[in-house]
Amino acid sequence: MRPLRAELRKLNRPLLYGVAFAAMLFCVLLAVAGASNAARDARDTGSAPPSCAEMGMPEGQACAVAKTSARARAALRDARRIEDARRTAVQLDPAAVGAEAAGLMASLPGVLAVALLAGGHIGGEWSGRTLKTVLARCGHRGRVLAAKLVSLWLAAAGVVAACWAALAVAGPILVRAYHLPYPNASVAAELRHSAAQCGRALPVLAVFAVVGLLAAVLTRGSVGTMAATAGIFITILALAGLSGTGRWTPATWVQAWMGFAAGLGSVTPLPDNFWSRFIPDTGGSPGPLAGLAGLAATFVAGALAAALVFRRSDVN
């Protein structure tokens, strides 16, 4: 426990606060854009169908049928826009924004946050030449590495909590400012959903953290850790788009475990992730338990690789 307490004390510095503030700001700005888009689309409803001249048709039965079809399509489009506005209002409810924060941090924004934290917190031990002192106080390399991994994971979880708090304050303000339909949802149900998504995000953040740890022991520098962590996940997302490997990549396992909508189904006025839109909807993604098993295997493999490299590394 002593190495972990020491690592947590190291995190009590501007690095963590800066990353948390940046994540909170990003979430709030995304919520502003989502509320604005939903309100604009909801206002653009009830438009009159085009005239026969606008459709390039003569007056008559055929034009009347075309107008009826146009009205039906417009009514369906308007209903979808109203439903999107109502769904956005529900997403911005203080009890529900936990799911929004968890989804964002379990996707690319979370990757970036963990990369920055890993670069400063772990990679910086080599850049600042302080790792030798740490090992002199605690000669067991495995404990030092485990403490760094757990502290990085806890910091990422703290960023999720900070984003939830920021959205809980901003959400109701945005709903009223943009006159979105009042969310008629059960507070208890929304809290359960938010808690479930936050719980699901924890294993994902653990995988992000172990990749950041592995990048740090391989590159042995702050910049290298950040670049390698981000590059690994961008490569994983690219591999997920290939027909032959898409089902067997950590990117697909994250999508399955978190329950992210497939492909462009995740593109909504207020997206709950920036992950599955980069993965094509092939209809053959694994289930949640398979996704969790894949993430667990990825975590174990990353931790073992980091431990092996760190045990054999020279520390100057």
Side-chain angles (χ1 to χ4, degrees):
M1 292 297 294
R2 185 176 297 174
L4 178 58
R5 288 196 296 269
E7 294 300 326
L8 291 175
R9 283 196 297 270
K10 291 179 188 176
L11 279 169
N12 185 21
R13 55 177 176 159
L15 169 68
L16 176 59
Y17 304 139
V19 170
F21 177 77
M24 293 163 65
L25 182 62
F26 171 79
C27 290
V28 171
L29 291 178
L30 182 66
V32 171
S36 175
N37 291 336
R40 184 193 63 233
D41 291 343
R43 286 194 300 268
D44 293 339
T45 58
S47 58
S51 64
C52 294
E54 291 172 335
M55 291 188 293
M57 299 178 64
E59 296 286 348
Q61 183 65 25
C63 182
V65 172
K67 282 185 176 182
T68 301
S69 178
R71 288 193 189 96
R73 290 194 300 270
L76 180 60
R77 183 185 65 249
D78 291 349
R80 288 176 178 171
R81 288 178 173 179
I82 295 298
E83 181 59 29
D84 284 344
R86 185 174 290 108
R87 186 184 302 113
T88 301
V90 171
Q91 287 178 271
L92 291 173
D93 187 79
V97 288
E100 179 74 15
L104 291 174
M105 290 300 108
S107 55
L108 281 178
V111 168
L112 180 58
V114 170
L116 292 172
L117 289 171
H121 181 53
I122 304 176
E125 294 279 17
W126 277 276
S127 299
R129 299 185 181 277
T130 57
L131 187 59
K132 187 175 182 179
T133 303
V134 173
L135 292 177
R137 294 180 178 178
C138 178
H140 198 293
R141 292 195 177 198
R143 291 180 183 175
V144 172
L145 203 65
K148 290 185 178 299
L149 175 61
V150 174
S151 62
L152 180 60
W153 175 66
L154 290 175
V159 173
V160 175
C163 290
W164 187 345
L167 287 172
V169 173
I173 297 174
L174 294 174
V175 170
R176 289 171 174 79
Y178 288 99
H179 307 289
L180 296 176
Y182 187 77
N184 186 19
S186 168
V187 174
E190 294 299 336
L191 276 175
R192 284 195 298 269
H193 178 59
S194 291
Q197 287 300 98
C198 287
R200 286 177 178 271
L202 293 179
V204 178
L205 293 174
V207 172
F208 291 174
V210 81
V211 172
L213 179 70
L214 179 59
V217 299
L218 287 174
T219 62
R220 305 176 68 170
S222 298
V223 177
T225 299
M226 298 176 195
T229 303
I232 287 171
F233 282 105
I234 291 174
T235 302
I236 287 173
L237 279 173
L239 290 175
L242 302 178
S243 58
T245 60
R247 185 179 175 86
W248 308 105
T249 65
T252 309
W253 298 332
V254 169
Q255 178 189 9
W257 172 241
M258 291 298 299
F260 293 150
L264 295 179
S266 66
V267 181
T268 57
L270 180 57
D272 63 355
N273 75 91
F274 284 97
W275 192 264
S276 59
R277 67 178 60 194
F278 304 108
I279 304 174
D281 184 7
T282 59
S285 61
L289 292 181
L292 178 60
L295 291 175
T298 303
F299 178 84
V300 171
L304 290 176
L308 180 61
V309 173
F310 188 56
R311 186 177 296 118
R312 297 182 178 182
S313 297
D314 292 330
V315 178
N316 297 321

